[in-house]
Amino acid sequence: MSYKTEELLAVCIARLIRARPTRHIAVGAASPVPAAAAWLCVKQGDPLHLSLLHKRSGNPFTDGSRELFDLTGQGRIDLFFLGGGQIDGQANINLIGTGAWPGLEVRFPGSFGSAFMYYMSGRTILFREEHSPRVLVDRVAHISAPGTSEPGVFRRGHAQALVTGRCVFDFHPDLGRFSLASYHAGESVESIRAMTGFEFDVPEGVGETPAPSDAELALLRGAVCDEMLETYPDFCARVFERKAAA
Amino acid sequence: MAASIPDGAMVAVPPDNSIPSVALAKALIRRRARGLRLVGVPISGFATDILIGAGCVAEVNTSAVTLGEAGFAPRFSAALKAGTLVVRDATCPAMHTMLQAAEKGVPFMPLRGLIGSDILANRPDWMVIESPFGPLIGGSREKITLLPALHPDVAVFHAVMADSAGNVWVGRRRECATIAHASQRSLVTVERVVEGNFLEDERLCPGAINATYISGIAIAERGAQPSALLDEYGFDTDYVMAYARAAKTEAGFAEWCAEHVFDNQAVAAE
């Protein structure tokens, strides 16, 4: 069955979710692909608790928007997702901008909860569809949240992986480096290298990212899309070609 | 109501998913407010961008300024580039923590994370200490950041309704209660005023904010639009997309403003 890039990425992320024990996932505002991945795991029967920050009806938080941060501070969120205007080879993320502080060349929206969630979640999956040397840089212009922390700083988790439109990287916090986990159809180690601004390791036997199965695609386009229509109407229209009932 | 907010005031405003009073933001533009210091709780959205575009804002203390699915906030980006706006970058829980310190009437509160971020490097008002209570990490005491209490002059938000006693009802959007508690005054626009007292209704009282904290209420029907209002109406993506396109240029913003701010006045919010 043919599929869209977003569908492949959602399936990639779903596999990363399942790769480690996960009970509670929080998904932020501008994250339709990670949200689809988390819903896919739920619809495949994983016993997950999902907290979607921007869900309008049935929003999980009854104590204000600080509740997410309070429960993450306690260690009750196993997995969170972050992106970045820039991401570098040490998994530092930049949501501030380029040029002099505070982003006088190109200003990104800002750091949101990253400077807390990246440290305090059990782990983080980094997601950025654009995979180019301008996004994946050797060194970010500004650090919204660092990939690793100095001794003496309380840190519960790090990046598990970075998923892009071209490949999946694993992150190794002890080394402060990424390694290539798989490249998507149409890419190669060489093409990934050419489009990546940072150095990364290439383990032996790295191959192509497995394509989504028919069952995964059917779930994404059906039950997962049903859950996402209210929060991400544009995404559902574009990727799944479905509109919410008026 | 907008007339009671002086130039230079520190004004706390919730983002698009947390019932901002866009009606009151538009009234501030019409009264040609200047030098406002906005506080995004914990981020900033449409209301902040139009206030910046209209030249009402000197400074914004926030974790992000965004129009959601409609993309970057165009007037925010333009004002930063032009050097007419100061942004004090934070991270969401830091905004909550500074306001919670004000709620409790204490001078500061600690927050984890932050260390190693350039946000901290650019906040001379935040301070890293060694936690006197531990824990020990690698043999030394944990390093942790102290954030000063943040006391806005005015909290501005929208609510579904007010009652005869002057209580307002915001449902689960409890961050509106946090900013009401932390601010000197709270000005609230509402869809409607109803008879009775929410505090005497066991089902309504958890979503109510006590009149003690509320300084002014004005009826502004659909006063959060284009932002969403709980289960009453949704985020108007088309309206905000059209705004984002128009506001790419200063002239486009001025045209948008003439049509959408100066022509459709919600008089009660003035």
Side-chain angles (χ1 to χ4, degrees), chain A residues 103-162:
Chain A
L104 294 184
E105 195 179 278
V106 177
R107 171 71 197 197
F108 308 145
S111 304
F112 295 88
S114 64
F116 181 81
M117 298 299 286
Y118 205 15
Y119 305 68
M120 304 307 291
S121 306
R123 67 190 205 269
T124 298
I125 294 175
L126 299 174
F127 171 68
R128 179 70 205 253
E129 190 170 345
E130 181 181 335
H131 182 144
S132 68
R134 80 173 191 143
V135 172
L136 303 187
V137 296
D138 184 46
R139 189 80 189 154
V140 293
H142 305 289
I143 297 175
S144 286
T148 57
S149 292
E150 61 183 88
V153 175
F154 184 95
R155 182 156 189 155
R156 189 170 282 127
H158 298 86
Q160 173 187 0
L162 164 60

Side-chain angles (χ1 to χ4, degrees), chain A residues 54 56 59 62 64-65 69 101 104-105 107 109-113 115-116 119 142-144 150 152 154 234, chain B residues 17 63-65 69 72 81 89 91-93 96 112 114-115 117-118 122 142-143 172 174-175 230 233-234 241:
Chain A
H54 274 235
R56 226 177 101 224
N59 187 287
T62 56
S65 52
F69 307 105
W101 184 271
L104 294 184
E105 195 179 278
R107 171 71 197 197
S111 304
F112 295 88
F116 181 81
Y119 305 68
H142 305 289
I143 297 175
S144 286
E150 61 183 88
F154 184 95
D234 288 4
Chain B
N17 66 332
S63 305
V65 186
E69 280 201 283
F72 286 11
K81 202 160 266 188
D89 274 288
T91 188
C92 297
H96 292 302
R112 280 177 163 165
L114 290 172
I115 297 170
S117 164
D118 286 333
N122 285 277
E142 177 183 354
K143 292 175 198 163
R172 75 186 77 206
R174 298 304 298 170
E175 55 279 359
L230 308 186
Y233 47 83
M241 292 247 185

